Amino acid sequence: IDPKNQQFTYDASTKAIKASAYNNAYCVFAQSDSNPVAVTTCDSSNAAQQWTYNNKTGQFASTMNTCLDVYDFTGDNIEEFGCKSASDSTISNQVFTINSNAAIITNTYKSKVKCMTLLKP
């Protein structure tokens, strides 16, 4: 896997999660419940491409109230699933970290690093 295919940037001003591969031309978009999450050509006016990052919980929430989620807690896919409350004991599969330059978004559920990977737009 090309490391660029696992680099996604989050732009808080547009709320877009952009794939670094292909010159940031592809964005993660919400479909209500998708596994794995999907990408499409970026369009800042498309509400389905707008995600809000919660610094307190570490969740990325879509405008459809779905969140990025590690599939089945241990799966290989990052999916989109209903957002969990901060008090939910199973929230950890929805907790993501953005590194300092906003280029890599990861989940470390049970000490296993999970990254979104752009396979093919």
Side-chain angles (χ1 to χ4, degrees):
I1 293 176
D2 181 344
K4 265 273 205 232
N5 288 358
Q6 291 188 328
Q7 293 179 2
F8 287 78
T9 58
Y10 177 64
D11 183 335
S13 64
T14 64
K15 299 184 177 185
I17 300 173
K18 297 181 178 183
S20 297
Y22 305 100
N23 297 315
N24 293 314
Y26 294 94
C27 290
V28 175
F29 73 100
Q31 300 183 90
S32 183
D33 260 344
S34 65
N35 181 12
V37 292
V39 296
T40 190
T41 304
C42 292
D43 175 0
S44 60
S45 66
N46 185 343
Q49 293 181 17
Q50 296 172 3
W51 299 81
T52 302
Y53 183 70
N54 183 322
N55 288 312
K56 291 181 182 175
T57 65
Q59 290 169 293
F60 278 100
S62 74
T63 55
M64 296 179 189
N65 198 34
T66 55
C67 286
L68 295 184
D69 184 280
V70 175
Y71 177 70
D72 199 26
F73 297 97
T74 58
D76 293 328
N77 294 333
I78 304 295
E79 67 172 349
E80 174 193 353
F81 193 76
C83 294
K84 298 176 180 179
S85 70
S87 61
D88 190 319
S89 63
T90 63
I91 193 174
S92 55
N93 64 320
Q94 292 187 349
V95 176
F96 289 81
T97 303
I98 305 172
N99 74 353
S100 59
N101 62 2
I104 301 176
I105 299 168
T106 58
N107 172 287
T108 54
Y109 179 71
K110 291 194 174 180
S111 301
K112 294 179 181 178
V113 176
K114 300 287 185 178
C115 299
M116 287 192 295
T117 303
L118 180 66
L119 297 177
K120 202 174 202 180

